[in-house]
Amino acid sequence: MVVMTSHDPTPGALPAALTATIDLDAIAHNVGVLRAASGTDLIAVVKANGYGHGAAPVARATLEAGAAELGVAHITEALALRDAGIDAHITAWLHTNHAPFDAAISADIDIALSSRRQLARVVDAAQRLGRSATVTAKVDTGLNRSGVAADEWADFADDLAKAKADGAVRVRAIMCHLVRGDEPEHPLNSQQAERLDAAAADLAQLGSPAEVMHIANSPAALTRPDLARDLVRPGLALYGCSPIPERGDFGLVPAMTLRAEVALVKTLAAGQGVSYNHHWTSERDTMIAVIPAGYADGVPRLLSNQMRVQINGRSFPQVGRICMDQFVIDLGPDGGGVAEGDIAELFGTGADGAPIAREWADQIGTIDYEIISGIGARAHRRYVGRAARETRTAQR
């Protein structure tokens, strides 16, 4: 693993105040963990810009590591992957009335359908283009979110069978999403699988069988191999965060390390406050440092006076309100040996004692999905690992 220092910029890039270093070897390692635990192939979920890690680099790394397919939420995300030169099978599963179905069909994107209305629009687009659309039946088996509703299923299945018979669609897959995947023993997990199996049997009876089935998300892929079916569909675990932290890390390695350069070091007299509304006041003469990252970059304002950073192997508390672009840390009376230009680690693998994304999440009552996917565009993404080196070599 490459470690970034203040003297280790990406070749050819301008220095960045805030850098998210993405270890593609960690991504590859996590693919291996998931394949071994589930006993089957996987769809690597790279929606939301690869959970903030960068969709295209992550997609390439997962495919090189053995992922069979890719999954995203929106068709536009799938089209961006095609534009990046990725030709793997891609499924997109969240659509509005104005989703670009024509473009999806032309780019050979697997369109997961949640209603008869969506199916009708896809059939219309396929007929206009004079080619079959690849589709997945997304079944609502209890999450009560997107997916074909139970009271619509019979009519949807009939429509799908007719569309297949007419050559308008190829029925590639059937899928659902678990309600309680992070509670592996909960009976609803098996009930949802049974409901999806029944729906798959309906399609087969109507002459439009799905070629593959997928159910399991990250927690189920790691703990319920009996739900794996033909493919598993992990998201969070690919990026090295445990989907069931009370059961440990499952051998996953966090892929993102967020670091910032210390922008300013200054003295603060006892009794002086820091940042907006002076929600923290120093009880003694001390030294403070300014870190150029804030809530516009994905550092939650709710973390104010709760988080810590690590610099040169020492941990320092954040003090005062976190602002849009910056926050302040207390270095203590001796300054902690910190100088302007040093690198502060906000979160990372945790192997060096620095925080991990889960620490932030726990402190403000959220989940690490929200933390890593919320790291903003101002953070320069820097890629390390074998896959990153091979990409740079190929571009020369």
Side-chain angles (χ1 to χ4, degrees):
M1 184 184 298
V2 176
V3 177
M4 188 183 115
T5 70
S6 56
H7 305 291
D8 183 28
T10 301
L14 294 173
L18 180 66
T19 299
T21 300
I22 313 301
D23 184 356
L24 297 179
D25 286 347
I27 298 282
H29 167 83
N30 297 333
V31 169
V33 170
L34 286 154
R35 293 182 72 195
S38 65
T40 191
D41 287 330
L42 61 87
I43 300 173
V45 179
V46 295
K47 64 180 180 176
N49 193 30
Y51 284 50
H53 293 64
V58 168
R60 293 190 187 97
T62 61
L63 293 167
E64 290 170 6
E69 305 179 9
L70 303 171
V72 295
H74 302 295
I75 289 171
T76 51
E77 295 176 307
L79 295 174
L81 292 172
R82 287 284 187 258
D83 288 343
I86 295 170
D87 60 5
H89 190 96
I90 307 173
T91 303
W93 50 70
L94 183 60
H95 320 294
T96 66
N97 287 348
H98 302 291
F101 292 128
D102 294 65
I105 295 168
S106 297
D108 196 24
I109 304 302
D110 188 337
I111 305 167
L113 301 168
S114 290
S115 72
R116 297 178 72 195
R117 284 83 64 202
Q118 289 181 0
L119 173 57
R121 286 192 286 273
V122 168
V123 169
D124 286 345
Q127 291 172 342
R128 282 196 303 273
L129 294 170
R131 59 182 292 181
S132 295
T134 300
V135 301
T136 289
K138 185 176 184 185
V139 185
D140 184 356
T141 57
L143 187 58
N144 295 316
R145 203 175 60 176
S146 57
V148 181
D151 61 358
E152 189 183 356
W153 171 251
D155 290 334
F156 174 91
D158 286 339
D159 291 351
L160 187 62
K162 182 179 185 302
K164 179 181 181 296
D166 292 342
V169 302
R170 166 198 173 196
V171 183
R172 172 64 185 356
I174 188 168
M175 66 180 284
C176 71
H177 199 65
L178 295 173
V179 178
R180 296 179 179 269
D182 56 355
E183 301 173 67
E185 288 76 32
H186 197 284
L188 185 54
N189 292 311
S190 296
Q191 291 168 10
Q192 286 189 261
E194 291 166 3
R195 292 166 188 167
L196 192 65
D197 289 339
D202 291 339
L203 294 185
Q205 187 174 19
L206 290 167
S208 54
E211 298 169 17
V212 296
M213 177 188 296
H214 44 94
I215 300 171
N217 54 4
S218 285
L222 291 165
T223 63
R224 291 291 302 269
D226 59 308
L227 302 182
R229 300 305 188 267
D230 300 296
L231 296 159
V232 292
R233 201 175 60 245
L236 183 72
L238 288 174
Y239 306 97
C241 298
S242 174
I244 316 177
E246 60 271 23
R247 292 201 177 189
D249 63 16
F250 297 95
L252 301 167
V253 177
M256 180 188 289
T257 298
L258 188 65
R259 299 186 178 102
E261 182 177 343
V262 175
L264 183 68
V265 174
K266 60 199 295 187
T267 59
L268 185 74
Q272 292 295 303
V274 165
S275 194
Y276 292 122
N277 303 107
H278 284 181
H279 282 269
W280 180 86
T281 299
S282 181
E283 296 178 350
R284 76 268 200 258
D285 292 345
T286 191
M287 301 286 292
I288 58 173
V290 175
I291 306 298
Y295 56 78
D297 304 297
V299 183
R301 188 170 180 267
L302 288 173
L303 276 174
S304 296
N305 291 308
Q306 298 188 69
M307 64 178 286
R308 63 187 177 95
V309 304
Q310 184 163 294
I311 305 173
N312 301 328
R314 271 186 74 176
S315 185
F316 298 96
Q318 182 276 323
V319 294
R321 277 270 175 84
I322 292 171
C323 307
M324 181 179 288
D325 313 301
Q326 57 192 290
F327 63 82
V328 176
I329 58 174
D330 181 13
L331 302 176
D334 64 356
V338 174
E340 293 170 4
D342 282 351
I343 298 300
E345 185 164 314
L346 279 62
F347 67 72
T349 67
D352 55 0
I356 60 174
R358 167 65 59 177
E359 181 174 319
W360 284 18
D362 288 345
Q363 285 171 324
I364 61 174
T366 187
I367 54 177
D368 42 9
Y369 296 72
E370 183 175 354
I371 300 301
I372 60 173
S373 65
I375 300 305
R378 286 195 300 193
H380 169 66
R381 266 64 174 180
R382 179 174 183 268
Y383 296 91
V384 299
R386 182 180 62 84
R389 292 193 296 272
E390 290 175 353
T391 298
R392 287 195 293 269
T393 299
Q395 291 173 343
R396 289 172 183 162

